Amino acid sequence: MPKLYLTARALDDLQEIFDYSAEEWGEELALKYIQSFEDAFSILKENKGILKVNSNISSKFRTYFVKKHCVICDVVKDTIFILTIRHTSMNLLERLKDLEPNLEEEVKILHTKLNSR
C-alpha cells in the first residue's frame, strides 16, 4: 500500500479549512468536513490510481476532489504527497502557477528526506 504524506502547506490548509468551517457552521460540522479529507486520504492510499492529472488545473500534479476542495498531489514511486488543498472557488490555475515552483521543490526535498531514512 502506498505511503501518504502531507506537506506543512497541506496541514496549514486543513487548519484554515477547519477554522473557516467552524466559524461559519460550527465546530461539529467543521470536524465532519475534516473527516471527509481523512476518509479521502485513506481511499487514495488504497487506490492511488484514482489520482489523475487534470491539464485544466496542472500538467505536473495530480488532483482529487473532496467536496468543494481540490487536493493537489504528486506521486513518487509508491508515495503520495499531498501538497496543498484549495477551494474550487479560488482561481486554481493562477494560484498553482504561483505555487508550482515551490511545490516541485517541496516534493524533491521530501523525497530526498524519505530516501535518506
Side-chain angles (χ1 to χ4, degrees):
M1 181 179 299
K3 295 178 183 174
L4 186 141
Y5 297 96
L6 280 80
T7 62
R9 181 190 315 272
L11 291 170
D12 288 345
D13 293 341
L14 284 173
Q15 185 63 55
E16 288 176 19
I17 292 165
F18 174 81
D19 293 344
Y20 177 82
S21 299
E23 186 175 311
E24 290 293 315
W25 301 289
E27 190 171 323
E28 184 177 338
L29 286 178
L31 288 170
K32 285 182 183 178
Y33 199 58
I34 294 301
Q35 183 62 50
S36 67
F37 287 99
E38 292 176 13
D39 295 343
F41 299 155
S42 293
I43 291 168
L44 292 175
K45 282 175 64 175
E46 292 172 14
N47 186 6
K48 72 177 180 178
I50 61 176
L51 284 168
K52 301 292 180 199
V53 173
N54 182 335
S55 59
N56 292 327
I57 296 172
S58 171
S59 61
K60 298 179 182 179
F61 300 119
R62 299 172 192 223
T63 60
Y64 186 76
F65 288 88
V66 177
K67 300 193 180 195
K68 293 192 176 198
H69 282 84
C70 181
V71 179
I72 310 294
C73 309
D74 198 11
V75 177
V76 179
K77 296 183 182 175
D78 237 13
T79 305
I80 300 167
F81 296 98
I82 307 295
L83 305 173
T84 189
I85 302 165
R86 297 286 160 205
H87 195 276
T88 55
S89 68
M90 294 178 164
N91 186 338
L92 288 174
L93 292 174
E94 289 303 313
R95 186 70 181 123
L96 275 179
K97 283 180 188 174
D98 294 339
L99 287 174
E100 218 161 4
N102 294 333
L103 294 176
E104 287 179 19
E105 190 60 30
E106 287 176 29
V107 169
K108 288 177 188 173
I109 291 168
L110 287 169
H111 188 48
T112 301
K113 285 182 179 178
L114 290 173
N115 283 336
S116 66
R117 288 183 178 178

